[in-house]
Amino acid sequence: MIAEIGHFTLILALAVAIAQMAVPMWGAHVRDARLMAFGDSAAVTQFGLLIVSFLALTHAFVTSDFSVLNVVDNSHSEKPLIYRISGVWGNHEGSMLLWVLILGLFGSAVAVFGRNLPATLRANVLGVQASIAVAFLLFMLFTSNPFERVDPAPFDGRGLNPILQDPALAFHPPFLYAGYVGFSMAFSFAVAALIEGRIDAAWARWVRPWTLAAWMCLTLGIAMGSWWAYYELGWGGWWFWDPVENASFMPWLAGTALLHSALVMEKREALKVWTILLAILTFSLSLMGTFLVRSGVLTSVHAFAVDPDRGIVILSIMMFFTGGALALFAWRAGALRQGGLFAPISREGSLVLNNVLLSVSCATVLVGTLYPLALEGITGEKISVGPPFFNMTFIPLMMPLLFAMPFGPLLAWKRGDLRGVAQRLAFAGGLAVLFTVVVAAMTGPGPWLAPICAALGLFVLFGAVTDLLSRARFGDVSQAEFLRRVVSLPRSAYGTALAHAGIGIMVLGIVGTSAYQTEKIVALKPGERAEVAGYDLLFKGIQPTKGPNYSEQIATFEVTRDGAPVTTLLPSKRLYNAPPQPTTEAGIYAAWTGDLYVALGDEQPSGGVALRLYFHPLVRLIWIGAVIMFIGGAVSLSDRRLRVGAPQRARSRPTAVPAE
């Protein structure tokens, strides 16, 4: 009965979405306030119905209702509760329901918190947002119904993919989808503005908070996925340029460019055409990621690999919205007034450079991801584009971006003083070079590019601190006045500095683990030792054990350094019951200098066991940097100036006429 309620509320949500798509947009066209106000109540109602539907599916998974086909295919009675809950979105049908639920969340948020928006703009935004919901609700109901029944109901289910039975899965997809779907708000604002023909600084201020919220969620979602792959898959890496990884990375790059472009548009009313185009393309890249994951064209640990027929439907949805938005853009672009002029050396100029480098970087990732698919589709030839291509194309584009990043916030609007900014950054640059030289001398020879990239990461980090000190007039005013200025700085300034500092910290982690990683592949018998990066590992043996829905072989390693005990590592291999599939659980010792990483391999005919031993210097800085970036976005979002609309122009008062 509850499953039927979930299915019925999904149908009702579709009906409400259709009404939300048509009524407020018509009201905006005829300037009818009551019809426009309908969009607010419809958006909230649609979200409420989607919550009921999602809870109904969650109930089916939690109670192991094997009369629902989705539960049969993706759950098992022996599965722990947390994985029964996360299993709701660990499949195609359930994840699409989560996708639409988040879409409804953002739409209802505009209805509730967007009271400062002009009525016509809010009505058109809600109408465009509803049209996206209509497309995906139709897709779900006709091709991917999560409440489809099976009769007779089996005694038990087939279980969830074992590699997805991990606590990270409870958080990684929701944040990732919030990022994907959140960019739909930028898309809806862009299309609504094109429909109205009004694109100005106020529009940029209104769209930036929604874009920032989506960017924050996508940042954290990508970081969680990287962390999960690092400790769960047993290969010792954190990023492989997997096509589905790239599918999430491309909207992040485009969304980052959009954030900075919207800032220029807000402050100077420049880059209007480019900002609107970025808003469209960012969401289009999100839709592309949805297509790649669900079309079956990719073989990836991240892919749902469903049948291609449903992939074609998603591709059609992507082409409809992208093509329609670009056609509307082409129709309106000629009428857009560009706004203020600025010198190449200015804050606007630095943000334009930021956009160029990020956009070209996104294009290189796009080419490397889609070229093998296009070649296979045209010629039947299968090739792979792996890390060497992306490292050779992406890194050279990021290096000038990192170098320019500290300069941007310190340059003045319209016309900046490059020499003056360079002088203020001289100490940060010198300190970065000094640290790099000292560390390079201590670590010994390595890749020639590593010290340069490390210096750039430190320069970004110290540059973020310099930005805050410069804003507070450090050294130019008294200590009391300096502290007063520090306290009174806007939150957006702290948010920007934190986000930039997070990028610098992440770069240091990437350089450390990529350039100075130590790897050994050995075979040990109980009682034998291995050494890696100064750590001595004594293999004590393997013990079998039982988990809630798996059997496990746990190896024990006593770790010492210079004769002193450090820790005990317990890497393992698991064999799940339903479905029967092995997984690897790495043993990881985390220290400030890096991670000691042990992955268990296959047993050898000689009686030993194969092992992968790694030492990843500074690898934790990658995820620490991502978290700091997220916090920086949250601090910026808390700035009231970013959450209120641009002030309306005061109406001209009639001139008083003296009485005769």
Side-chain angles (χ1 to χ4, degrees):
M1 180 65 181
I2 294 180
E4 278 68 32
I5 292 174
H7 190 197
F8 183 63
T9 53
L10 206 58
I11 297 172
L12 288 179
L14 172 62
V16 173
I18 293 173
Q20 181 187 333
M21 177 181 64
V23 175
M25 295 185 74
W26 177 253
H29 179 68
V30 300
R31 297 296 193 271
D32 189 315
R34 292 178 300 175
L35 295 180
M36 289 189 287
F38 174 82
D40 297 338
S41 56
V44 175
T45 302
Q46 183 198 152
F47 178 54
L49 291 169
L50 291 171
I51 288 178
V52 174
S53 184
F54 188 82
L55 290 176
L57 185 61
T58 304
H59 177 270
F61 272 84
V62 170
T63 60
S64 296
D65 183 1
F66 296 117
S67 66
V68 178
L69 181 60
N70 193 18
V71 181
V72 174
D73 290 338
N74 300 283
S75 190
H76 193 273
S77 59
E78 295 181 358
K79 200 165 60 171
L81 178 62
I82 184 175
Y83 302 134
R84 276 184 267 168
I85 296 174
S86 62
V88 175
W89 52 80
N91 58 88
H92 168 70
E93 291 82 3
S95 65
M96 286 306 307
L97 182 56
L98 178 63
W99 207 98
V100 177
L101 176 68
I102 297 173
L103 188 70
L105 170 64
F106 275 92
S108 64
V110 170
V112 175
F113 301 109
R115 302 297 183 182
N116 60 323
L117 299 174
T120 54
L121 179 63
R122 187 170 73 249
N124 284 320
V125 167
L126 291 175
V128 176
Q129 192 78 355
S131 68
I132 302 171
V134 168
F136 280 97
L137 284 169
L138 285 172
F139 170 73
M140 287 180 60
L141 289 169
F142 285 99
T143 70
S144 308
N145 181 10
F147 299 100
E148 183 178 348
R149 291 285 193 177
V150 57
D151 188 27
F155 179 75
D156 217 332
R158 300 183 181 94
L160 180 67
N161 186 342
I163 64 173
L164 302 181
Q165 297 186 37
D166 188 89
L169 191 68
F171 304 100
H172 164 56
F175 274 100
L176 200 67
Y177 292 172
Y180 277 155
V181 180
F183 286 128
S184 68
M185 291 309 308
F187 176 87
S188 298
F189 269 93
V191 173
L194 290 172
I195 292 173
E196 287 195 10
R198 179 192 173 187
I199 304 171
D200 52 18
W203 177 90
R205 174 169 288 192
W206 290 321
V207 79
R208 272 213 307 141
W210 304 101
T211 305
L212 181 58
W215 179 87
M216 289 165 50
C217 293
L218 189 58
T219 300
L220 198 59
I222 293 174
M224 286 180 178
S226 171
W227 167 242
W228 168 76
Y230 173 72
Y231 72 81
E232 175 66 23
L233 300 184
W235 64 292
W238 58 276
W239 191 263
F240 193 66
W241 295 105
D242 180 278
V244 182
E245 291 175 341
N246 297 347
S248 64
F249 191 41
M250 287 185 288
W252 186 89
L253 291 170
T256 305
L258 175 60
L259 276 175
H260 293 84
S261 179
L263 180 61
V264 177
M265 185 175 168
E266 178 188 341
K267 298 295 185 181
R268 301 285 300 148
E269 289 207 32
L271 304 183
K272 290 183 180 180
V273 174
W274 177 241
T275 304
I276 292 292
L277 183 61
L278 270 179
I280 295 171
L281 294 180
T282 301
F283 182 58
S284 299
L285 290 170
S286 297
L287 292 177
M288 180 184 295
T290 303
F291 164 72
L292 291 175
V293 171
R294 302 167 195 280
S295 63
V297 300
L298 296 176
T299 301
S300 167
V301 68
H302 306 86
F304 289 108
V306 298
D307 61 276
D309 292 338
R310 287 189 279 191
I312 292 174
V313 178
I314 297 176
L315 182 62
S316 301
I317 293 173
M318 182 184 75
M319 293 176 64
F320 173 79
F321 284 104
T322 303
L326 290 177
L328 182 60
F329 170 79
W331 179 48
R332 289 287 198 184
L336 298 179
R337 186 170 55 88
Q338 284 301 309
L341 300 176
F342 52 87
I345 305 300
S346 62
R347 189 175 299 187
E348 297 97 324
S350 70
L351 293 172
V352 169
L353 177 63
N354 161 285
N355 269 232
V356 170
L357 293 173
L358 285 173
S359 300
V360 176
S361 301
C362 183
T364 62
V365 178
L366 179 66
V367 170
T369 303
L370 296 186
Y371 177 74
L373 301 178
L375 185 66
E376 183 180 357
I378 297 172
T379 66
E381 181 182 357
K382 292 187 177 182
I383 66 168
S384 64
V385 176
F389 167 81
F390 293 104
N391 293 337
M392 291 180 63
T393 56
F394 188 79
I395 293 177
L397 292 169
M398 287 295 102
M399 292 176 67
L401 179 62
L402 292 172
F403 179 75
M405 192 178 297
F407 287 84
L410 293 171
L411 287 169
W413 293 101
K414 197 173 182 179
R415 184 179 297 276
D417 180 10
L418 184 60
R419 179 178 295 180
V421 172
Q423 290 174 348
R424 280 185 280 176
L425 288 172
F427 181 76
L431 195 62
V433 172
L434 178 62
F435 267 73
T436 303
V437 170
V438 172
V439 172
M442 293 173 60
T443 56
W448 66 270
L449 197 59
I452 299 174
C453 293
L456 288 172
L458 287 170
F459 184 48
V460 172
L461 175 60
F462 297 148
V465 178
T466 302
D467 177 34
L468 292 178
L469 295 177
S470 179
R471 288 174 181 268
R473 305 278 305 274
F474 177 75
D476 298 332
V477 296
S478 65
Q479 184 176 1
E481 176 65 13
F482 168 72
L483 293 175
R484 189 192 67 80
R485 288 176 174 269
V486 167
V487 174
S488 61
L489 283 176
R491 293 180 186 177
S492 59
Y494 284 106
T496 299
L498 281 171
H500 286 188
I503 290 176
I505 292 171
M506 179 182 289
V507 169
L508 292 176
I510 293 171
V511 172
T513 191
S514 300
Y516 301 103
Q517 168 186 290
T518 303
E519 177 183 1
K520 283 188 177 182
I521 301 176
V522 297
L524 295 182
K525 297 178 180 178
E528 294 183 338
R529 298 176 178 270
E531 187 273 335
V532 59
Y535 290 97
D536 186 74
L537 289 82
L538 173 62
F539 180 34
K540 301 290 291 184
I542 295 179
Q543 297 293 327
T545 186
K546 285 279 187 180
N549 60 333
Y550 58 83
S551 58
E552 189 172 21
Q553 300 287 328
I554 301 179
T556 301
F557 291 87
E558 291 185 354
V559 182
T560 58
R561 190 179 182 95
D562 299 327
V566 175
T567 188
T568 299
L569 293 181
L570 302 172
S572 67
K573 297 195 73 172
R574 293 176 179 176
L575 179 63
Y576 283 81
N577 303 330
Q581 183 176 326
T583 64
T584 299
E585 304 292 324
I588 303 174
Y589 170 68
W592 286 107
T593 55
D595 281 11
L596 177 63
Y597 186 107
V598 181
L600 204 60
D602 297 327
E603 294 186 5
Q604 303 298 301
S606 60
V609 61
L611 300 168
R612 287 183 176 267
L613 310 178
Y614 299 92
F615 182 72
H616 299 293
L618 306 179
V619 68
R620 301 273 162 158
L621 295 184
I622 297 173
W623 304 295
I624 292 173
V627 172
I628 293 175
M629 291 163 64
F630 176 85
I631 295 172
V635 172
S636 291
L637 196 61
S638 69
D639 193 330
R640 186 176 180 275
R641 301 182 306 165
L642 198 64
R643 294 183 284 108
V644 299
Q648 297 180 355
R649 295 180 179 178
R651 296 180 179 177
S652 58
R653 297 181 179 178
T655 305
V657 179
E660 295 182 355

